[in-house]
């Protein structure tokens, strides 16, 4: 049994371990980055400490979402910044663990700087897009689709714009900096994932995928075609097969990278001298499922 994370309140219990049942862009990226990290997050459901960067991203996203509640002429930078305190209060109510971020900041100086950075990110958005000219069809849209293989894909799209001609644009806000050109394909993976889900749900290929990087003031766009989405689907099917095999065998291997330094699970990772918690799901030897199917015969 995994040791309790000391940052987790005593009255909060983790959900029971369960086999993966769907795939999101974040979890697909986790598995590609490190299968053991995927296991810790999806199967063991080990708690993780909130980070200032991720929490700030959540706050900025909520402000940009709420701004569109106002009439177009009132969607100004001052109004957007005025939403930050209320959205921060709301975030602390819905996710009390984020209060841990500033537990050692009794004077509130670090939190003030953190909120100031959120303000600057919101202000920068107005140099990249004009919300008075936008009327999103959807905001924070939960999407879910099942492929012919049975694989369930799901995620949340920041914004969907639909032109009068019916063309669809999928928009995602990033509070970090734009990646270097050689890493752009990895950044677009999430957007192509969403485009695939929309295509499977609506039979419409989105006209444009748009990543808005508030940290650096860049906008990355990509116009997908059917062949792109078919490639993404094949990649996800192969990924899901690898996840299924690891789930059945319990063979989740760490994949060391520079990102390991940011991982919350070093204490239970073999790469850092730790021991993972006992695997909480039944384990079958590789090939056992195929042998069993052979004994049973076809349906």
């Amino acid at each position: 049994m995994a040791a309790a994370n000391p940052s987790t309140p005593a009255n909060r219990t983790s959900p029971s371990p369960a086999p993966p049942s769907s795939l999101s862009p974040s979890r697909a990226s986790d598995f590609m980055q490190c299968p053991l990290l995927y296991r810790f997050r999806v199967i063991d459901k080990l708690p993780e400490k909130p980070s200032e960067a991720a929490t700030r991203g959540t706050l900025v996203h909520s402000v940009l979402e709420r701004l569109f509640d106002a009439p177009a002429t009132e969607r100004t930078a001052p109004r957007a910044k005025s939403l930050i305190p209320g959205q921060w209060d709301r975030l602390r109510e819905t996710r009390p663990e984020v209060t841990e971020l500033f537990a050692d900041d009794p004077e509130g100086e670090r939190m003030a700087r953190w909120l100031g950075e959120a303000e600057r990110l919101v202000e920068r958005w107005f140099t990249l897009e004009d919300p008075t000219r936008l009327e999103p069809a959807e905001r924070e849209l939960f999407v879910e689709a099942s492929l012919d293989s049975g694989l369930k894909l799901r995620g949340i799209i920041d914004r969907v714009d639909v032109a009068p001609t019916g063309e669809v644009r999928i928009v995602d806000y990033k509070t970090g900096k734009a990646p270097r050109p050689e890493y752009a394909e990895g950044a677009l993976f999430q957007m192509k994932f969403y485009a695939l889900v929309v295509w499977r749900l609506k039979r419409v290929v989105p006209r444009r995928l748009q990543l808005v990087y508030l940290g650096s003031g860049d906008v990355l766009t990509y116009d997908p075609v059917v062949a792109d989405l078919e490639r993404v689907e094949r990649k996800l099917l192969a990924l899901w097969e690898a996840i299924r095999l690891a789930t059945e065998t319990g063979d989740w291997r760490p994949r060391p990278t520079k990102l390991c330094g940011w991982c919350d699970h070093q204490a239970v990772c073999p790469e850092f001298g730790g021991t993972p918690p006992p695997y909480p799901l039944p384990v079958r030897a590789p090939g056992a499922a195929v042998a069993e199917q052979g004994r049973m015969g076809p349906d």
Side-chain angles (χ1 to χ4, degrees):
M1 191 172 191
N5 188 317
S7 67
T8 305
N11 60 351
R12 189 181 304 143
T13 58
S14 297
S16 299
S21 60
S22 63
L23 199 58
S24 70
S26 296
R27 299 294 78 85
S29 295
D30 284 346
F31 188 84
M32 290 187 289
Q33 175 187 326
C34 174
L36 186 59
L37 173 64
Y38 177 96
R39 177 202 147 171
F40 287 157
R41 285 179 167 169
V42 176
I43 295 178
D44 297 292
K45 297 180 173 62
L46 300 185
E48 297 181 349
K49 296 177 182 178
S51 73
E52 289 190 15
T55 305
R56 183 168 50 232
T58 300
L59 174 60
V60 170
H61 275 72
S62 66
V63 168
L64 299 186
E65 179 192 4
R66 292 275 70 82
L67 182 66
F68 285 103
D69 290 340
T73 56
E74 297 178 19
R75 297 172 194 161
T76 64
R79 182 184 182 94
K81 289 194 293 183
S82 74
L83 295 173
I84 291 176
Q87 290 303 308
W88 175 226
D89 289 342
R90 179 174 175 271
L91 185 58
R92 285 185 290 187
E93 290 175 3
T94 56
R95 292 176 51 189
E97 67 271 17
V98 301
T99 59
E100 301 168 15
L101 288 171
F102 304 106
D104 59 349
D105 183 36
E107 302 300 321
E109 295 179 1
R110 190 157 54 85
M111 186 173 71
R113 289 195 297 271
W114 181 82
L115 289 171
E117 178 58 25
E119 286 189 358
R120 286 187 287 275
L121 292 171
V122 168
E123 282 184 311
R124 186 169 291 141
W125 178 60
F126 286 82
T127 70
L128 304 174
E129 295 191 288
D130 181 359
T132 66
R133 299 168 63 101
L134 297 171
E135 290 298 339
E138 301 286 353
R139 291 172 276 155
E140 295 294 314
L141 174 67
F142 174 78
V143 291
E144 182 178 89
S146 293
L147 304 182
D148 293 341
S149 65
L151 171 58
K152 184 183 295 183
L153 305 178
R154 61 199 311 176
I156 299 176
I157 302 174
D158 289 346
R159 199 179 84 218
V160 178
D161 301 330
V162 180
T165 56
E167 294 178 315
V168 174
R169 177 172 64 182
I170 296 177
V171 181
D172 195 73
Y173 309 121
K174 299 294 185 185
T175 49
K177 297 180 180 180
R180 295 200 300 265
E182 60 266 34
Y183 297 114
E185 184 60 32
L188 280 170
F189 170 75
Q190 174 187 8
M191 303 301 284
K192 291 180 180 179
F193 184 109
Y194 291 145
L196 171 61
V197 175
V198 170
W199 180 45
R200 288 305 188 196
L201 281 175
K202 305 292 186 181
R203 308 309 303 174
V204 172
V205 175
R207 174 68 179 82
R208 174 153 294 179
L209 311 178
Q210 181 166 303
L211 282 160
V212 182
Y213 286 94
L214 305 178
S216 57
D218 295 299
V219 176
L220 176 64
T221 62
Y222 183 82
D223 297 342
V225 296
V226 169
D228 289 324
L229 307 187
E230 290 174 338
R231 280 193 293 271
V232 171
E233 182 167 339
R234 289 194 296 271
K235 180 176 183 176
L236 292 173
L237 290 174
L239 192 65
W240 188 247
E241 177 60 21
I243 291 172
R244 184 197 64 77
L245 182 61
T247 302
E248 289 190 353
T249 63
D251 185 8
W252 301 91
R253 300 184 184 185
R255 185 176 296 144
T257 68
K258 291 184 291 185
L259 296 174
C260 290
W262 300 91
C263 184
D264 274 354
H265 308 302
Q266 294 180 10
V268 290
C269 177
E271 292 296 320
F272 291 86
T275 302
Y279 190 55
L281 299 177
V283 172
R284 284 199 249 184
V290 175
E292 180 179 344
Q293 184 178 2
R295 287 195 302 271
M296 293 174 62
D299 291 340

